[in-house]
Amino acid sequence: MAAAQGVPTDSVVELTLFERVAIQTSVVTFMGVAVLALLPHWCSPAIRTARSSVFVSSLFGIAVAVLLALLGASAWVFSQIMLGWLAAYPLALLVLGTTFIAQAIGFIAFGNAIVARFGVDHDWVGLLVGVALAAVLALVPYAGAPVVLLITIVGLGGMTRTALGSGKRTEREQSMPPAHRL
């Protein structure tokens, strides 16, 4: 009886520069187009929330990123036991899907912040600038990955705050000047 062979962990796949740029831009493009086209009423407030309060969105994003890391670790643990793949695959898809959507929202928000300096405030234009920014960051070998992580965390925080209902302004708050709010 032969022992089960595991996946070799001592070989690391190194991506070329072209492959890194292609993967980064295709993820941001595909997920950005998907959320802007399929979920515009949810996506636009998430982008505005991530863009308007980066610090608070980052705090929410860090908390949710820790939760996603724990879910990813539990997916790995489930994959190691018999029939654990029944739980591992859905958990892995949840973690990866949420991360990719958060990355797209973060890049769109950052792209919107850049184009707003030129007087344009549109999510689709922000997506184009965000895709270009993703390509540039993929070209930077060591400094690009931490910046992409920070942008993803801000997008994750904006998503979370929108899903929880925080970060939205009521009609009363919008009509009153800041000095007259209670």
Side-chain angles (χ1 to χ4, degrees), residues 17-173:
L17 183 66
F18 177 73
E19 291 170 338
R20 280 196 317 246
V21 172
I23 290 170
Q24 185 74 28
T25 55
S26 62
V27 165
V28 173
T29 303
F30 178 75
M31 295 309 289
V33 167
V35 295
L36 284 176
L38 298 176
L39 304 168
H41 298 294
W42 175 81
C43 182
S44 293
I47 292 168
R48 280 194 306 274
T49 301
R51 185 177 146 202
S52 65
S53 58
V54 175
F55 182 72
V56 175
S57 293
S58 297
L59 293 177
F60 273 84
I62 289 170
V64 175
V66 168
L67 176 67
L68 287 176
L70 291 173
L71 283 174
S74 65
W76 181 82
V77 169
F78 283 135
S79 72
Q80 302 301 312
I81 60 175
M82 185 180 287
L83 293 180
W85 61 271
L86 292 171
Y89 287 157
L91 283 176
L93 285 174
L94 175 74
V95 170
L96 287 175
T98 304
T99 304
F100 290 156
I101 292 170
Q103 190 174 43
I105 287 178
F107 272 106
I108 295 169
F110 199 67
N112 275 350
I114 291 172
V115 298
R117 304 278 182 188
F118 300 105
V120 178
D121 191 14
H122 197 270
D123 290 340
W124 289 98
V125 178
L127 174 63
L128 292 176
V129 173
V131 167
L133 180 66
V136 168
L137 288 174
L139 292 172
V140 182
Y142 296 108
V147 175
V148 169
L149 178 66
L150 289 174
I151 290 173
T152 304
I153 285 176
V154 170
L156 192 59
M159 280 176 42
T160 305
R161 292 180 65 206
T162 302
L164 294 176
S166 66
K168 295 181 182 177
R169 300 169 89 169
T170 63
E171 190 67 34
R172 179 180 166 168
E173 289 174 341

